[in-house]
Amino acid sequence: MIEFAREAYDDVVRHADAGGAEEVCGVLAGTRGDGDEPSVVARAHEAENVADAPAVRYRIDPEEQLELFEAIEADGREVVGFYHSHPTGPAHPSETDASRATWPGYSYVICALDGSPFVGSWRWRGDEAGFEQETVSVSSER
């Protein structure tokens, strides 16, 4: 399970919508849960999409990713995972998402915009099982 603070959830949806026909991406900060404990997202950090084909892929520059990780840790938070948008769907990880996932145990959040905004989350297992879908909830208290 992954729980978003209302502001962080709204930031992901707003960023996805602002990206138009191109995918947007970023890093999620908060507390990463293990096992039965949910991950809690307190903040979404936007990143520039430097993919060669941003209409169908996302890529965070490694230097920017490191800077975001350091800023998150300096703020006393953990990296929970990553988010990106699918402007025209699907509302689940694509084959490209699965082939490029490299952080086992971290959440990969997708905001699909083909209809009403849909925010889903999948935890990368790091093995042949691939992604495991997580329940997404939003809290106004965090």
Side-chain angles (χ1 to χ4, degrees), residues 58 101 114 128:
Y58 79 98
D114 58 340
E128 62 278 346

Side-chain angles (χ1 to χ4, degrees), residues 68-125:
L68 288 171
F69 283 13
E70 289 173 348
I72 288 166
E73 291 174 3
D75 199 29
R77 295 190 169 125
E78 299 173 285
V79 173
V80 172
F82 309 89
Y83 75 89
H84 73 283
S85 64
H86 282 178
T88 60
H92 56 80
S94 67
E95 288 183 26
T96 300
D97 294 334
S99 70
R100 293 184 174 199
T102 57
W103 292 84
Y106 288 77
S107 296
Y108 287 76
V109 169
I110 297 171
C111 182
L113 299 171
D114 58 340
S116 304
F118 169 81
V119 177
S121 183
W122 292 263
R123 193 171 288 226
W124 178 246
R125 304 294 297 171

